[in-house]
Amino acid sequence: MTDFSTNLWIIIIIIFIVIFIMCIYFKLSKNYIFKNYEEITKIKNIETEKINNINSKITVYTLGTHMKRSLYNNLSSLKQNNYNYKLLALGEKWGGWRWRIEQYIKCLEDHILNIGQDNVVVFIDGYDAFSCKDEKGLYEDFLKFNSNIVVGMEKGVKFTNIYGDITNWWKYKNIKQHKYKHATCNAGFIIGRPKQLLELYNWIYENKYDDDQIGLRNYINKFPHKIEADFESKIIFNKIPVDNKIVTKTPYFMHFPGHVNNPRNILFKNCEEENKKYIKDYYSVYPIEMSNNNVDIFLILSTIIITTGFIAVLKK
């Protein structure tokens, strides 16, 4: 056996020893129990609909099929910051992203019928977003974009199917895309006039997109003149784990990675600390997302690989 292969096996053994120790820790501390955790932990009561501010020109809609701490945080932030808001689809079975598009379409039709076309609509993700400050000034800041629809922007992950690359939009606007970190669209937040939003989501649905971010990306590239992008995070900031700060000026909303709720993941720790600053009645994070079966599988796999590695090294 060459020195290179020996060193490689030593590295592999060390990696899996670390995994093995982590699994033992999870097993003994029982922090791995995640399944049904929220079903057995009482979630605080929260108003799922609060449309009582007659002076507001904005209504926020968010969708969540079952109440979780993160969804509670979202609704709590909307309530604290005096938004008119409504939770969609609570208690229903999740039907996928195309199903969510259908829910948005129904919501917009109902909004136009009962609230009116002049009242601006916000769609925000249910489990990984919340409002950061009072709605005062949001309508005026929306008008400054001089567009019927404004979408949130993120750094994005290349080479993924849902990558929100809107190159045509940047070319149409004659803006140098490389100057901005948040240069790709994110469907987790959108604000606009209900009639134009209905046109957008109908187009996405009729063109049979299974994911609204893919549909949004293609709609923007096809109709760049119909949408503005919040690439300076004036309204919505899409946070990633390595951000130490939000922006110089606090936006109205924040969107963050869904697995920020993992308290022992160092990468997401500062996301969690950041969240607590903006919500007074904030739920603490919940245990590591690792089932009992996964722990056992990792233990068995680690044992096999560690043993194999030791045998390979000793045979040298």
Side-chain angles (χ1 to χ4, degrees), residues 12 27 65 78 102 113 139 147 167 169 176 187 203 212 225 236 245 247 254-256 266 268 272 300 310:
I12 292 173
K27 195 90 174 166
T65 55
L78 293 171
E102 286 184 305
L113 181 64
Y139 180 76
S147 176
T167 303
W169 184 88
K176 294 181 179 179
W203 185 90
D212 55 347
H225 60 287
I236 170 72
K245 298 180 179 178
V247 282
M254 186 194 298
H255 180 268
F256 51 89
I266 297 173
F268 295 94
E272 178 61 32
I300 295 170
F310 274 122

Side-chain angles (χ1 to χ4, degrees), residues 105-120:
I105 290 172
K106 292 175 184 177
C107 172
L108 287 165
E109 291 173 342
D110 182 71
H111 181 94
I112 292 171
L113 181 64
N114 296 299
I115 299 179
Q117 295 190 34
D118 295 329
N119 189 275
V120 172

Side-chain angles (χ1 to χ4, degrees), residues 104-279:
Y104 282 0
I105 290 172
K106 292 175 184 177
C107 172
L108 287 165
E109 291 173 342
D110 182 71
H111 181 94
I112 292 171
L113 181 64
N114 296 299
I115 299 179
Q117 295 190 34
D118 295 329
N119 189 275
V120 172
V121 167
V122 170
F123 283 120
I124 185 171
D125 278 358
Y127 299 104
D128 53 4
F130 56 80
S131 70
C132 298
K133 63 181 181 181
D134 194 279
E135 72 145 2
K136 185 179 180 181
L138 175 56
Y139 180 76
E140 289 72 22
D141 284 343
F142 166 70
L143 293 180
K144 291 176 183 177
F145 282 89
N146 195 29
S147 176
N148 290 314
I149 299 176
V150 178
V151 300
M153 300 286 280
E154 65 177 358
K155 291 184 178 180
V157 180
K158 291 184 178 181
F159 313 116
T160 59
N161 184 41
I162 61 171
Y163 184 57
D165 188 11
I166 52 172
T167 303
N168 288 353
W169 184 88
W170 290 98
K171 290 179 179 178
Y172 175 81
K173 294 293 180 179
N174 195 25
I175 303 175
K176 294 181 179 179
Q177 179 178 351
H178 68 274
K179 288 187 174 183
Y180 298 93
K181 293 181 179 180
H182 289 207
T184 60
C185 72
N186 184 295
F189 177 92
I190 189 166
I191 180 172
R193 302 286 181 185
K195 182 179 178 181
Q196 283 72 28
L197 284 176
L198 183 59
E199 177 186 297
L200 162 66
Y201 283 109
N202 273 326
W203 185 90
I204 293 174
Y205 189 80
E206 290 167 1
N207 282 276
K208 304 186 185 306
Y209 289 107
D210 293 326
D211 189 290
D212 55 347
Q213 182 145 305
I214 299 172
L216 176 62
R217 174 191 68 196
N218 293 343
Y219 183 89
I220 295 173
N221 280 320
K222 187 175 179 63
F223 307 107
H225 60 287
K226 292 186 176 183
I227 288 184
E228 284 294 331
D230 186 17
F231 53 85
E232 292 182 327
S233 301
K234 294 179 178 179
I235 295 180
I236 170 72
F237 183 81
N238 287 291
K239 187 173 179 61
I240 61 172
V242 294
D243 288 315
N244 293 319
K245 298 180 179 178
I246 292 189
V247 282
T248 304
K249 184 178 180 182
T250 301
Y252 290 91
F253 297 90
M254 186 194 298
H255 180 268
F256 51 89
H259 39 309
V260 68
N261 298 292
N262 185 337
R264 291 180 176 82
N265 188 327
I266 297 173
L267 286 175
F268 295 94
K269 187 67 175 178
N270 65 343
C271 279
E272 178 61 32
E273 295 302 319
E274 194 73 52
N275 295 353
K276 293 179 182 179
K277 297 177 183 179
Y278 296 100
I279 306 177

